[in-house]
Amino acid sequence: MVNRRRNGSRANGRAGRGGVQTQQQQQRKRPPIKALREPAIFAKQSGSASDTPHDKVTLAQARRGTPAHRPVRVYADGIFDLFHSGHARALMQAKNLFPNTQLIVGVCSDALTHKYKGYTVMTEDERFEALIHCRYVDEVVRDAPWTLTSEFLEKDKIDFVAHDDIPYTSAGSENVYKHIKEAGMFVATQRTEGISTSDLITRIVRNYDVYVRRNLQRGYTARELNVGFIKEKKYRLQEQVDRMKETVRTVEEKSKHLVHRVEEKSHEFIGNFLELFGPDKAWHMIQERSGRVLQALSPYQSPRTSPSSSPTRGRSTLPVTHWPLLRFHSPPPKGAFVSSSEGDEGEM
């Protein structure tokens, strides 16, 4: 029994050590994960610095997956002026084309862009910096060629080129990616509708006055904004007018709110008043009950037809002639009336 336990523990120990070794081997085989805390690198002018033999990879092989030491190098180029979410989505698609992808992004210089496409808002250095801080980008090629040549693709060891499938007419060519498609090196991505550099510039041009006033308010000078003296005064005056309108609008809103509150309170007060003092309401019930209580507490009163209710109650009802005679202890004053009964009494 003891031997079995020992053998079992030895087997578990071998299995545990074997499991640890297997995990270590797997970790060694895994490609190093690039930290997102650092920007992408710039490509060298001489081309790719990788010493790994660059064997040709087919599209099917790339989709199945390549060894860790042999990533599929995908190239995407553009101007990337006013770098926006549409650019980022296109690069995300290019990065996720294959299981093991290394994304190289080419950015054209100001000279080429101004010659073939037009003036840019951002300088070439600003556009370079915007690209190296995109999480999907592994490498940035500065001063990228306007038209891709086989020499450039071989020098930078490019396997595939990613771009949207819309024909791109430029530099006297109906589609600058036609020869890439014919070579079987083109992989299409999807454009993001509703957002582009041209759309952003159109918004700014359409609302030019709004943005000029905005920047004047934020402290930019008229010279920095290339605005003349008269236009500057016009924008300043318009800003004051808009502030006054906003103040009036705010006062009106507050007044409406106050009136609404007063109406609510008045309706509530009237309702409570009618509930308390209206007909057949609480106040009349209180009066009725209080009247009953007072009547119950008051002393008993005889009816008006009762003899006891006569105003002569408790007094003698005999005629005046039966009242005792009044005798004067002193001579009566002159002119005093003396009853004839006195004389009769004296005679008796």
Side-chain angles (χ1 to χ4, degrees), residues 214-229:
R214 169 184 178 270
N215 283 7
L216 285 173
Q217 186 180 1
R218 294 196 172 191
Y220 287 88
T221 63
R223 178 175 295 181
E224 291 174 333
L225 298 174
N226 196 24
V227 175
F229 177 80

Side-chain angles (χ1 to χ4, degrees), residues 45 75 106-110 112 124 128 141-146 152:
Q45 295 293 334
Y75 180 82
V107 184
C108 299
S109 64
D110 285 346
L112 283 176
E124 58 183 22
F128 298 154
V141 178
R142 291 175 288 193
D143 301 330
W146 195 261
F152 172 80

